[in-house]
Amino acid sequence: MAYVYIHEEDLQAFIDSLKSFTSSNISELDSISRANTERDDPADIRDKVEWWALPHVRIGDLSLTADELQVRLNQAVEMNSNGITPMDGDLISYYLPDGVEDTPANVMIYNGEAVTNGAKDAEALQQASGSPDGVSEDGRTVEQVLDDMARYQDVPAYGDAVVTTFGGVDYYLDFVLNLQWHYNSVDKEGVLHVDRDGLDQAVDVLGRVLASATNSESTPEGHDSWSDAMYESVTVKGHRGRMSALNALLAADDAVYDTNTLVDLADQLEDLPFDGAAASSTPDSLQGWYDDDYGVRYDEGKALRGYSMDPLYGVTMAMGNNPEAAFKYLNPDGQMSNGQWVPGEQSKKRWELLTGREWDGEVGLDGFTAAMAGNSAMRGSDEADTAAAATWTVARSMEFAVDQVPFASYTEAMKENLSVVVANTADQGVKVAIGASPRN
């Protein structure tokens, strides 16, 4: 993504000056044209002073430039006042996706119009999913709304508007939990059928939208950060089932969440208890669960059937799409010594926790190895410390994969993730292949 930074006062002063210049020049040209017409064009200059003449065209170009700059400035002011785009000192900014031309139309599409469309689509999605005929007030089905959302799913202003219109993270997760019923059906024999592919596609769009929201400068109302909002949502009493929805959104294909959001969220979630239950065992309602840490039997609300309840599954899956987040989480501290990376106490403790905890028996290690793959990409960093730290964790990753995980337990996702690690670390891979230690 790219933010274009501008100085509000300086640019407005330039625009005002340009408008004044063009206005005065047009007035002068009009005056000359009138005088020339009244005297029947005595010097044969009509083609040089009328509205179609080159001087008028060039002044018109300058006037258009002033208008286009005003559009950009207005969009930056609007986005900044809403806390969606970042500032850099006195500079404010507007957003454009990488590779998109900086035109007034595009600036409006990915900023102000994105906010408007995000709010409209969020309302329509709620209406369609809750109506008897499955259609929103503007005539769209759930699938049609989701298709429209997919067009802007990676735009921060759009994502922020969608989540805000839903009422925040709590209601967004609850909507995902309720949306599963849209993809359930019961046949004449009373057998439940779940359109898992349809639900997965919907979750992927909604996950990308939430990811884009975390990349805005805005934070959910009542919270200091997106990570705090997410953590509090899944830990509030009576709603532990939301963890399955959050995991599904975090694990969405190609969803790139904000770096600090992932690192801070993982740091919080790693302290939550988990018994290693497989994703397939997650019911659609967590009724009457008992947990030594949470207390006596109680209703923990709706859950997303068949999705993981492992607190670290989703957030580590998301790190596979954000190498910087994977690196910061897996290498929280340490320093160089005699040309080698020496991990700090926090890094050692985190690695002990991650390699010793109970992961979801079906998909948990998909997430852990995704973070490993993300971290391995940082070996190519131009910063020697970063490359060395990433290498240290790559070695730990390979030792864990070889020594602690039976090959029969490897899922296709794990194999793909570990192949990325090997591809990024040919030297350690050779050592493992010959039975040697991958340590530095």
Side-chain angles (χ1 to χ4, degrees):
M1 70 179 65
Y3 288 102
V4 179
Y5 290 87
I6 55 181
H7 193 288
E8 179 180 357
E9 293 182 1
D10 288 353
L11 182 55
Q12 187 63 66
F14 177 79
I15 293 171
D16 292 342
S17 296
L18 193 56
K19 288 181 176 179
S20 176
F21 175 80
T22 58
S23 178
S24 63
N25 276 268
I26 289 174
S27 296
E28 289 296 330
L29 285 171
D30 288 343
S31 176
I32 294 171
S33 176
R34 285 192 300 271
N36 188 59
T37 300
E38 291 171 358
R39 292 166 176 76
D40 296 325
D41 192 19
D44 194 24
I45 62 170
R46 185 167 183 266
D47 288 339
K48 297 180 181 180
V49 298
E50 291 299 327
W51 62 268
W52 63 79
L54 186 60
H56 256 292
V57 173
R58 292 294 178 256
I59 294 299
D61 290 343
L62 289 176
S63 180
L64 178 60
T65 296
D67 291 339
E68 292 179 343
L69 289 174
Q70 191 68 64
V71 169
R72 292 176 171 87
L73 177 57
N74 291 345
Q75 290 295 301
V77 170
E78 179 184 349
M79 294 298 97
N80 186 252
S81 63
N82 292 335
I84 295 175
T85 56
M87 292 184 67
D88 184 2
D90 293 332
L91 303 180
I92 60 177
S93 65
Y94 58 85
Y95 167 82
L96 282 175
D98 291 334
V100 172
E101 186 179 0
D102 189 343
T103 65
N106 283 338
V107 172
M108 293 179 66
I109 287 172
Y110 293 105
N111 291 273
E113 290 182 12
V115 173
T116 300
N117 291 334
K120 181 180 67 176
D121 290 345
E123 291 177 355
L125 186 58
Q126 294 175 84
Q127 292 167 359
S129 65
S131 66
D133 58 358
V135 178
S136 64
E137 293 178 4
D138 61 12
R140 290 182 288 173
T141 64
V142 168
E143 285 67 34
Q144 288 173 328
V145 177
L146 288 169
D147 286 343
D148 289 338
M149 295 178 78
R151 296 171 56 196
Y152 302 103
Q153 61 190 3
D154 298 322
V155 180
Y158 182 87
D160 180 73
V162 169
V163 178
T164 298
T165 302
F166 268 95
V169 173
D170 289 357
Y171 295 100
Y172 196 72
L173 296 182
D174 288 343
F175 175 80
V176 174
L177 295 175
N178 291 325
L179 186 63
Q180 66 183 313
W181 301 111
H182 176 76
Y183 294 94
N184 290 355
S185 60
V186 179
D187 62 23
K188 294 180 180 180
E189 285 72 36
V191 178
L192 175 67
H193 298 276
V194 180
D195 179 7
R196 181 63 183 253
D197 289 340
L199 180 57
D200 284 345
Q201 292 175 12
V203 166
D204 279 346
V205 172
L206 294 173
R208 295 274 287 266
V209 170
L210 180 60
S212 68
T214 67
N215 285 296
S216 72
E217 290 298 297
S218 178
T219 55
E221 184 176 356
H223 301 278
D224 294 330
S225 66
W226 286 96
S227 58
D228 286 346
M230 293 175 184
Y231 178 77
E232 291 178 23
S233 182
V234 300
T235 55
V236 63
K237 186 175 181 180
H239 293 282
R240 192 162 65 93
R242 286 175 178 164
M243 178 61 74
S244 57
L246 179 60
N247 275 337
L249 297 174
L250 288 168
D253 290 341
D254 301 318
V256 182
Y257 283 81
D258 168 67
T259 298
N260 290 334
T261 297
L262 293 179
V263 175
D264 293 344
L265 181 62
D267 185 57
Q268 293 173 296
L269 292 176
E270 68 182 18
D271 295 328
L272 296 182
F274 183 65
D275 60 5
S280 61
S281 68
T282 302
D284 54 41
S285 182
L286 304 185
Q287 301 283 348
W289 279 32
Y290 180 88
D291 188 277
D292 292 337
D293 293 299
Y294 282 97
V296 297
R297 291 182 180 274
Y298 58 95
D299 182 358
E300 276 300 339
K302 299 175 183 177
L304 202 57
R305 178 186 289 273
Y307 288 80
S308 182
M309 286 289 295
D310 187 337
L312 285 182
Y313 163 66
V315 71
T316 51
M317 279 289 289
M319 289 177 184
N321 296 324
N322 187 331
E324 184 179 0
F327 173 81
K328 287 186 174 181
Y329 179 64
L330 296 177
N331 305 280
D333 65 347
Q335 62 184 357
M336 295 294 292
S337 177
N338 297 322
Q340 300 290 323
W341 173 258
V342 180
E345 287 303 312
Q346 189 176 356
S347 293
K348 293 178 181 178
K349 289 180 179 179
R350 177 152 292 160
W351 194 253
E352 290 173 0
L353 181 148
L354 295 174
T355 57
R357 73 185 296 273
E358 289 286 341
W359 290 88
D360 180 316
E362 292 175 341
V363 300
L365 292 182
D366 292 354
F368 189 20
T369 55
M372 293 176 182
N375 168 80
S376 70
M378 300 299 287
R379 288 198 74 216
S381 173
D382 293 333
E383 298 181 6
D385 288 10
T386 297
T391 298
W392 179 86
T393 298
V394 160
R396 306 294 83 69
S397 300
M398 288 188 164
E399 287 177 341
F400 173 78
V402 172
D403 297 338
Q404 295 183 238
V405 183
F407 187 74
S409 299
Y410 279 36
T411 65
E412 290 303 313
M414 288 176 62
K415 293 176 184 177
E416 182 176 342
N417 292 333
L418 292 172
S419 69
V420 172
V421 176
V422 172
N424 286 331
T425 56
D427 47 353
Q428 278 82 14
V430 169
K431 291 178 181 177
V432 170
I434 63 175
S437 172
R439 290 182 177 274
N440 295 333

